[in-house]
Amino acid sequence: MHYPIKVPGADSAGIVEVFSPYDGRRVGSVEAIDESGAEQALKNMHELFRGRKNWLPAHERIAILERAITLIQARSEQFVTTAVAEGGKPYQDTQVELSRALDSIRSCIDCMRTERGTEIPMQLNPASMHRLAFTHREPIGPVVAISAFNHPINLIVHQIGPAIAAGCPVVIKPARETPLSAFALVDILREAGLPGHWCQPVVANDMKVAEQLAIDPRVAFLSFIGSARVGWMLRSKLAPGTRCALEHGGMAPVIMAEDADLERILPLLAKGGFYHAGQVCVSVQRIYAHESIARKAAEELAALADKMTVGDPAKPDTDCGPLIRHSDVDRIEAWVNEAVAENAELITGGQRLSDSLYQPTVLLNASPNSKVSRQEIFGPVVCVYEYNSLDAAIEQANALPYAFQASVITQNIDTALYAYKHLAASTVMINDHTAFRVDWMPFAGLRESGHGTGGIPYTFRDMQIEKMAIFHSPAL
């Protein structure tokens, strides 16, 4: 499968080959842009948006998104197969991702039907007499969206879906490892009736081209999903007036009280920790378990990990697939070995299975100074730590410069509410894993984990402005 250049008026700057992270086979290619291609994409967006008579009316945007849903459903197996091949997420989980993506598009349509302006009170004092004021939502302007590899269908929908619904032209740059799903989605949107200039997918051979797109003064909004290092760097260089939302990684903590129902919660934590080989920004990484249950929790979690099928992501029964890059297997192997050398107890795992696969791993009482305790692993490794005081556990959970989703496991409502109040997090799950998400809920990284709020309705609002009209009339 090969996708030619998708920027009207731009020339190709070479071919980007896409390879399976599992076995290295070639699965497709896309044509890349260079600086001149980026300039053309920006020019296309700017000129399109500047001519307000070119704006797509809401009823046309709704019809395009509705037709896109029908087309995606008709080609669902092709989408799933492509995403599995390029990203390595297991087949069963990619099916769920596609279902979420379809629901995300429906949420975009719902936003268009329900979001609205407001009346601003007037005639409250002599100065505001004879006036009527209200707001109306308008698109903010051209959007540049830079995406990540780990959800190559749904993350793209979360970025381009609200842009199209809000009426913003958008350039989408998918991860270099997983561009095929994004290009396929844009093809669907164009087939559904979206003019080519409204959504332009690009891949660049040089990070400088991505930076050129993000920091150009013609860009009204930057949507970034990826590493904190790159996200904060881009934010520091944004043109005056450009707004942004950044979604980075985290080190999701779980506080497990002594009354935790292990039989019910451990399967959820295993899923939340080893789903997509741990390559999820809110995957379960740190479990602080009361000393009376910590070892039992670690051993039973390890037993669940040992039952997981690790291997070919295209097989329906695979639970845990490959890491996106071989270098990530090297890094995770080094971090686990370091933790064990620093007195962590290896309960299970700790083995490289191939150049792309790492065994689901459970560590007990890793040193707080080990890399597995201080940095996002982004791999199939879960660390369990003993605690004897709830306050001490919360202090450890809050000690790092990341804050995203967290969890507390308890049968006591007072414990749950106490943890909810004191955990540094944008969302606290009670008796659930930290990786839970539905696409209409707020999803926000705090501290180094991000800026702004994701989730379809929140992104839709970010990509609009509220424009006020004030009528002055003696009839009022």
Side-chain angles (χ1 to χ4, degrees), residues 351-419:
Q351 296 294 320
R352 171 198 292 265
L353 301 178
S354 71
D355 287 341
S356 62
L357 299 172
Y358 194 82
Q359 188 176 6
T361 296
V362 177
L363 297 171
L364 179 61
N365 290 328
S367 165
N369 297 316
S370 295
K371 290 187 180 70
V372 295
S373 301
R374 302 197 63 80
Q375 298 182 42
E376 184 181 25
I377 298 172
F378 222 58
V381 179
V382 177
C383 301
V384 180
Y385 307 85
E386 292 182 358
Y387 76 84
N388 56 20
S389 157
L390 182 60
D391 283 332
I394 292 172
E395 183 178 356
Q396 287 181 282
N398 293 345
L400 302 177
Y402 315 101
F404 213 139
Q405 298 195 159
S407 177
V408 55
I409 314 301
T410 181
Q411 303 303 305
N412 186 307
I413 191 170
D414 292 331
T415 302
L417 290 171
Y418 186 87

Side-chain angles (χ1 to χ4, degrees), residues 135-163:
T135 64
H136 170 76
R137 292 185 181 272
E138 285 190 355
I140 192 173
V143 170
V144 168
I146 299 175
S147 203
F149 75 86
N150 51 340
H151 306 289
I153 305 172
N154 198 36
L155 287 185
I156 301 298
V157 170
H158 266 256
Q159 293 173 292
I160 66 175

Side-chain angles (χ1 to χ4, degrees), residues 72-100:
I72 292 169
Q73 288 174 322
R75 301 170 199 173
S76 59
E77 188 61 28
Q78 178 182 337
F79 267 97
V80 170
T81 301
T82 298
V84 169
E86 67 177 347
K89 182 187 292 181
Y91 181 87
Q92 57 183 325
D93 294 324
T94 303
Q95 286 183 309
V96 173
E97 181 184 343
L98 181 64
S99 295
R100 283 183 56 189

Side-chain angles (χ1 to χ4, degrees), residues 424-469:
S426 60
T427 300
V428 177
M429 312 291 178
I430 293 86
N431 294 323
D432 206 347
H433 64 78
T434 58
F436 171 78
R437 184 185 184 185
V438 289
D439 298 286
W440 58 87
M441 75 185 222
F443 192 69
L446 307 176
R447 299 179 179 174
E448 291 186 17
S449 292
H451 174 77
T453 302
I456 295 294
Y458 305 90
T459 302
F460 178 78
R461 290 173 203 156
D462 276 348
M463 292 180 178
Q464 293 184 314
I465 62 167
E466 272 199 281
K467 186 176 183 179
M468 185 165 63

